[in-house]
Amino acid sequence: MKEQIRALLEAVAAGQMAPGQALERLRHLPHEDLGMARVDHHRVLRSGRPEVIFASHKTVEQVVAIAERLAEAHGGFLATRVSPEQAAALRGRFPAARWSEAGRTVWLPGAEAPTQTGRVAVITAGTSDIPVAEEAATTAEAFGLSVARVFDAGVAGLHRILHARPEFDGAGVIIVVAGMEGALPSVVGGLVGQPVIAVPTSVGYGASFGGIAALLGMLNSCAEGVTVVNIDNGFGAAAAAARILNPPGRG
């Protein structure tokens, strides 16, 4: 990979290739093959953000190995769905890494600040939804966004979301995390003009069916501008918010 990059740079320096043409080729350079993973170092050129480690069902050794390659290439990394054992190993290898026990994330900020801009509000219906919300919030912060957290503002006490409105009115995108019947995104969508990303959670009693009830309720929202991600997918909501606020290739 280094030889390919060097050849491209030499071609640009010699006037044999335009910078834009070289950048386009860089977008498709090979990944780094670790045997058990193919690390996509050039995803940042395509999407504006490096590859993120989904740690679930990976061994401690696999997670650390992938994190080492990402840290060397980009100066940092983000891992989601991290177990305590994986977190301990990552923090042992990278003492500056930040472990969110609630959100199950480990984030090592890079030496250079992300180029993304914008503000996201992350709202939960209940305290039980905070783990998914924290995954979303940490992901948004790792992608360079500022985050306002508004927790436990569900429909069982509507005065709470109304009281908290000044905390999320200035956000460019609002992520609403809710289990049970999943009604809060519709309420928020009816109050604001910003895009609302609804995240159903698996929180609830038997007939919630592990988040299916909340998912179906959100998909059937009558409030315009509400979109829905998968159950418990805080990462996906934050990634979508980052793309809305900072489309790849902008500028």
Side-chain angles (χ1 to χ4, degrees):
M1 186 165 62
K2 289 183 179 178
E3 289 71 22
Q4 291 174 292
I5 295 175
R6 184 179 294 109
L8 286 174
L9 293 176
E10 289 174 350
V12 172
Q16 300 170 349
M17 183 181 295
Q21 184 181 2
L23 180 60
E24 186 61 28
R25 291 196 181 183
L26 282 170
R27 293 179 188 271
H28 304 287
L29 276 179
H31 42 255
E32 183 177 4
D33 191 350
L34 303 183
M36 48 71 187
R38 301 174 190 268
V39 184
D40 185 7
H41 292 305
H42 289 269
R43 188 173 302 185
V44 67
L45 293 176
R46 303 193 306 274
S47 69
R49 292 164 289 277
E51 183 175 5
V52 174
I53 304 167
F54 181 70
S56 179
H57 293 83
K58 291 182 175 67
T59 67
V60 171
E61 293 76 16
Q62 288 171 341
V63 172
V64 172
I66 297 169
E68 287 176 339
R69 305 314 300 154
L70 288 170
E72 181 174 337
H74 306 288
F77 64 84
L78 172 65
T80 66
R81 301 302 169 96
V82 180
S83 71
E85 294 76 16
Q86 292 167 335
L90 287 170
R91 295 177 73 192
R93 177 65 179 83
F94 304 98
R98 305 175 185 176
W99 158 235
S100 169
E101 185 174 2
R104 293 184 291 169
T105 60
V106 174
W107 171 32
L108 178 67
E112 297 183 9
T115 58
Q116 312 292 307
T117 59
R119 183 170 177 80
V120 174
V122 180
I123 304 173
T124 74
T127 304
S128 298
D129 301 310
I130 288 177
V132 176
E134 280 296 341
E135 180 182 80
T138 299
T139 299
E141 289 169 341
F143 287 173
L145 306 178
S146 62
V147 177
R149 291 168 168 82
V150 179
F151 293 160
D152 195 28
V155 298
L158 278 176
H159 57 288
R160 298 177 297 179
I161 194 66
L162 297 174
H163 179 77
R165 185 166 181 176
E167 300 178 50
F168 59 83
D169 261 347
V173 176
I174 299 173
I175 296 171
V176 184
V177 184
M180 301 290 189
E181 81 291 347
L184 186 59
S186 292
V187 174
V188 174
L191 292 173
V192 303
Q194 302 98 312
V196 173
I197 302 174
V199 187
T201 73
S202 52
V203 172
Y205 294 103
S208 68
F209 297 111
I212 296 295
L215 173 65
L216 294 176
M218 293 173 182
L219 287 171
N220 285 282
S221 174
C222 64
E224 63 182 76
V226 175
T227 191
V228 187
V229 297
N230 206 349
I231 298 167
D232 292 336
N233 191 7
F235 167 79
R243 289 202 178 195
I244 291 170
L245 295 171
N246 297 272
R250 187 179 72 174

